């Protein structure tokens, strides 16, 4: 199946989505898709995904974040939250709430855009240690940060956006320690999203073979 997560920020037809799900088993959705057409979420549930990740980058007090998550429990396997909001009164209770409902939690540790300040990483790491989520979001455009987070959190899942349009090369994030690369526009804006997804997966596979091979 490859190590890809589809960031679906625009609607694709159900048939295209269904075809894509044969090659990509995890999907990330967020505000753009939900606000474009809330009823599109029903299409997501018509397909058997390994994981549906809700990327709302939750960053609020505990009660508000839990209210938001409660509306989406029927659709979601996991949620992404910001780590900078801290533990007490925020991520502590969100984390317990999601555990109770058997949902996973990812915390953002380093974003892919230029303006993100990795100088705060030591604070975010402290929060991450306390919250002990299932995984982290670390930008694929930040290979050093992927290596740092992998070194600091050996058993956590790292999901990595920024591949393609934002400039990171396919496969590099995995070679640096990420588990999955998140790809949006390169696939959903392609003329033929399915062919493009297959092409990206092939490149990813080749790159992984190259770098993991050279590790042995
Ligand atoms: P694209 O491949 O089209 O650049 O999409 C990347 C996806 O990952 C978008 O949904 C974006 O919101 C998300 N993302 C990101 O690009 N950088 C981050 O640091 C964190 C993200 O969630």
């Amino acid at each position: 199946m490859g190590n890809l997560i589809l960031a679906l920020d625009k609607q694709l037809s159900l048939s295209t989505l269904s075809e894509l799900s044969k090659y990509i088993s995890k999907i990330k959705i967020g505000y753009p898709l939900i606000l474009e057409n809330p009823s599109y979420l029903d299409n997501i549930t018509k397909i058997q995904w390994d994981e549906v990740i809700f990327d709302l980058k939750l960053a609020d007090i505990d009660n508000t974040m839990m209210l938001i998550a409660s509306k989406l429990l029927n659709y979601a396997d996991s949620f992404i939250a910001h780590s900078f909001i801290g533990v007490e009164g925020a991520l502590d209770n969100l984390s317990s709430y999601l555990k109770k409902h058997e949902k996973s939690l990812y915390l953002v540790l380093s974003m892919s855009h230029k303006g993100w300040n990795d100088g705060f990483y030591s604070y975010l790491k402290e929060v991450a240690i306390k919250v002990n989520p299932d995984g982290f979001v670390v930008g694929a455009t930040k290979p050093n940060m992927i290596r740092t987070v992998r070194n600091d959190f050996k058993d956590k899942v790292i999901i990595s956006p920024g591949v393609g349009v934002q400039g990171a090369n396919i496969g590099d994030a995995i070679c640096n320690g990420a588990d999955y690369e998140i790809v949006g526009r390169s696939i959903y804006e392609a003329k033929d999203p399915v062919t493009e997804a297959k092409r990206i997966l092939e490149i990813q596979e080749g790159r992984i073979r190259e770098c993991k091979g050279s590790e042995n």
Side-chain angles (χ1 to χ4, degrees):
M1 263 288 184
N3 304 57
L4 222 60
I5 297 172
L6 173 65
L8 192 67
D9 290 326
K10 262 193 191 166
Q11 296 178 65
L12 288 175
S13 71
L14 181 57
S15 61
T16 303
L17 199 58
S18 165
E19 192 59 25
L20 275 173
S21 72
K22 293 180 186 161
Y23 306 97
I24 304 176
S25 62
K26 294 173 187 271
I27 188 166
K28 178 181 89 65
I29 51 187
Y31 295 111
L33 188 77
I34 299 167
L35 296 174
E36 189 181 355
N37 178 8
S39 63
Y40 188 86
L41 290 182
D42 294 329
N43 278 350
I44 304 281
T45 58
K46 285 184 188 141
I47 294 168
Q48 190 63 45
W49 304 98
D50 280 353
E51 186 175 3
V52 178
I53 304 170
F54 268 81
D55 179 9
L56 304 172
K57 300 226 174 46
L58 298 167
D60 215 313
I61 60 163
D62 50 10
N63 185 62
T64 307
M65 294 193 291
M66 292 187 295
L67 276 175
I68 294 168
S70 73
K71 311 286 184 233
L72 296 163
L73 291 176
N74 287 343
Y75 301 102
D77 295 299
S78 37
F79 290 86
I80 295 175
H82 267 299
S83 49
F84 63 72
I85 56 175
V87 183
E88 292 84 8
L91 290 170
D92 51 357
N93 291 327
L94 176 69
S95 166
S96 313
Y97 176 82
L98 293 180
K99 268 202 189 97
K100 191 175 90 191
H101 291 280
E102 299 181 332
K103 307 295 174 191
S104 301
L105 172 65
Y106 295 95
L107 292 183
V108 177
L109 282 184
S110 178
M111 289 192 73
S112 59
H113 63 290
K114 213 169 168 187
W116 180 264
N117 186 345
D118 282 311
F120 296 111
Y121 175 67
S122 59
Y123 167 64
L124 302 184
K125 179 179 159 184
E126 249 176 64
V127 171
I129 290 169
K130 284 186 194 152
V131 175
N132 192 26
D134 302 278
F136 300 113
V137 178
V138 184
T141 50
K142 308 270 181 63
N144 291 340
M145 284 310 299
I146 298 176
R147 282 198 292 275
T148 300
V149 175
R150 174 48 71 219
N151 190 51
D152 289 343
F153 298 95
K154 302 213 164 35
D155 59 342
K156 298 293 179 194
V157 178
I158 298 177
I159 61 176
S160 196
V163 176
V165 176
Q166 294 182 55
N169 291 324
I170 302 161
D172 282 2
I174 310 278
C175 290
N176 282 299
D179 296 285
Y180 294 93
E181 291 180 324
I182 299 171
V183 178
R185 285 165 287 180
S186 300
I187 294 176
Y188 68 70
E189 281 183 346
K191 221 177 194 164
D192 179 348
V194 178
T195 305
E196 185 57 17
K198 284 199 241 175
R199 193 187 73 85
I200 290 171
L201 278 166
E202 249 171 56
I203 296 172
Q204 192 193 52
E205 210 180 289
R207 179 75 184 93
I208 295 172
R209 213 179 304 122
E210 234 174 63
C211 71
K212 302 279 181 197
S214 66
E215 273 172 14
N216 301 324

